[in-house]
Amino acid sequence: MTYQFGGTMLIPASALFWGLQFAFLNPALALLLVTVFHASPGEVGWALAIYNTGGFVASLLVPAYADRARDYVRPMLACGVLTLALAGVLATTTSLPVAVTGLVLLGGPAGVGSSLLFAHLKHTGAAPGDVVRTRALVSVAWVAGPPLAAALIGGFGPRSILVAIAAVAVLNIATTAAMRGSVSSASDAPAEEGRVPRGHVAAVVVVFIALQATNSATVSVMSLFVTDRLGLDVAWAGVALGVAAGLEIPALLLIGKLTGRVPGPLLLLSGCVAGMGYYAAMAFAHGPALLLALQVLNAWFFATVAGVGLTLFQQIIPRPGVAAGLYANTRRLGAIAAGPLIGLGSATRLGYGGVFAASAVITVAALVGLRLASTEKRSSTPPSGAAAAPGTCN
């Protein structure tokens, strides 16, 4: 094995930079579209939808290409260059169609860089615990990125964030190039830990889309829930989400330590139980103290979905790039599914609390689905030495 987590700072630095790159861009993108490109609210919606669609397609195609080439660093380097080009395009035009074209053609593929990093980790033999700890650094970037972006925009104007993105992209290109030079020959083929029935893979994907949808929906309505349901100032929503994001980092680090000692399914079970408790309690919560205290459960829930989920996809899908890309797309599809969840949940007598109640029910259903999928996998696994059943995931 040529990769050791503690042996180099390239991987941690790369994880931090990939996180910062889009922790700067994504929260500020709508503001850029309005202030720099004079987009209407409807145009902002369409622009973001087209951009996210491009990202969805790119996160399927680019990792699949990397799997075939058995090289994840070179495409990662290209993603860094594309980010630099995107910052240049957005900085030098005021045309909304040009900006949207740049977001799709440059920003979509550029956003795959983080997934390729985790594919590279898997390909070069990193342990699941190392993968989870690397994922924690991406969370650090997402805690620090949005406030830094807001400070830059407030002090120097909207276009200043593009300078910051370009600077981070340069650092990312440098660390990725150094990573390419430091990697001796990795395995010529990704390690396959056994063939998994396609039905099991599909079931796991659906389960994680559901879990991601609950998180996306409840985060989206937090401001409305705090003001309408709890009768608090909107600032409490930001405090609650900030507490959850901050707690997510030590939770991921703890999961990284426990990985290998505690079975992944058991960690995921604990996270889903925490999620069910969080959503159910939030549906009937009152007061800021309980709101903040419950974020401990929220942080553990999402940390298991983010950390254990990523390693689970890498275990059941032999191709590292496809595994990381498909996992990333559960987040995107979950955000899409969050729309109907918000609409149906908020229409109940609980109002926005109904979104949390519905999320608790969905988490229970997802946990049952994951359990059934695991049972199906065990029943479909051929005995040792037997041929794999038709229709397996290769």
Side-chain angles (χ1 to χ4, degrees):
M1 183 181 74
T2 59
Y3 171 79
Q4 292 181 348
F5 186 83
T8 176
M9 289 300 295
L10 290 176
I11 296 295
S14 184
L16 190 61
F17 292 147
W18 281 116
L20 276 177
Q21 193 164 282
F22 288 92
F24 280 161
L25 176 62
N26 288 357
L29 185 52
L31 179 64
L32 279 172
L33 291 172
V34 172
T35 57
V36 175
F37 303 103
H38 311 294
S40 67
E43 289 171 333
V44 169
W46 280 110
L48 293 178
I50 295 170
Y51 167 53
N52 286 318
T53 301
F56 177 84
V57 173
S59 61
L60 293 176
L61 298 180
V62 176
Y65 164 78
D67 282 333
R68 289 193 299 271
R70 300 190 178 107
D71 180 1
Y72 303 93
V73 178
R74 185 179 297 173
M76 206 190 319
L77 188 61
C79 290
V81 173
L82 288 175
T83 303
L84 191 59
L86 174 64
V89 168
L90 296 181
T92 55
T93 184
T94 56
S95 167
L96 181 60
V98 172
V100 173
T101 301
L103 286 169
V104 173
L105 298 182
L106 302 175
V112 184
S114 181
S115 295
L116 291 172
L117 174 63
F118 290 107
H120 172 67
L121 289 179
K122 175 68 174 176
H123 181 60
T124 52
D130 294 333
V131 174
V132 176
R133 285 189 285 273
T134 304
R135 175 61 180 79
L137 290 170
V138 177
S139 294
V140 170
W142 274 93
V143 170
L148 286 174
L152 281 172
I153 292 172
F156 302 99
R159 285 188 184 270
S160 63
I161 196 62
L162 298 174
V163 177
I165 292 169
V168 173
V170 169
L171 292 172
N172 227 336
I173 291 169
T175 55
T176 305
M179 194 187 308
R180 182 169 180 80
S182 69
V183 173
S184 56
S185 59
S187 170
D188 284 339
E192 298 193 15
E193 300 179 13
R195 296 180 178 182
V196 178
R198 292 186 187 275
H200 175 72
V201 175
V204 171
V205 169
V206 171
V207 163
F208 273 85
I209 290 172
L211 294 175
Q212 300 274 21
T214 64
N215 177 261
S216 181
T218 53
V219 168
S220 296
V221 302
M222 182 64 81
S223 296
L224 295 169
F225 173 79
V226 164
T227 55
D228 182 71
R229 176 77 179 175
L230 300 185
L232 300 172
D233 188 272
V234 69
W236 282 103
V239 172
L241 294 175
V243 168
L247 290 173
E248 180 189 326
I249 297 166
L252 280 165
L253 293 174
L254 178 57
I255 290 170
K257 283 190 174 182
L258 293 175
T259 299
R261 304 175 188 176
V262 179
L266 185 58
L267 287 172
L268 189 57
L269 170 64
S270 72
C272 288
V273 170
M276 289 183 285
Y278 169 68
Y279 293 139
M282 282 289 287
F284 303 97
H286 294 282
L290 184 58
L291 171 69
L292 297 184
L294 288 173
Q295 299 311 312
V296 175
L297 296 177
N298 187 21
W300 184 255
F301 166 66
F302 190 71
T304 58
V305 172
V308 179
L310 177 58
T311 58
L312 175 62
F313 272 66
Q314 291 182 333
Q315 289 166 2
I316 66 174
I317 300 173
R319 292 174 291 174
V322 170
L326 189 57
Y327 174 78
N329 274 335
T330 65
R331 182 71 174 165
R332 290 186 174 92
L333 294 174
I336 294 172
L341 174 56
I342 292 171
L344 294 174
S346 60
T348 65
R349 288 189 307 166
L350 292 172
Y352 292 110
V355 178
F356 287 90
S359 295
V361 173
I362 290 173
T363 304
V364 173
L367 187 57
V368 172
L370 193 62
R371 178 66 180 171
L372 292 175
S374 299
T375 302
E376 175 195 348
K377 177 189 173 184
R378 286 195 297 271
S379 64
S380 302
T381 301
S384 178
T392 55
C393 187
N394 297 312

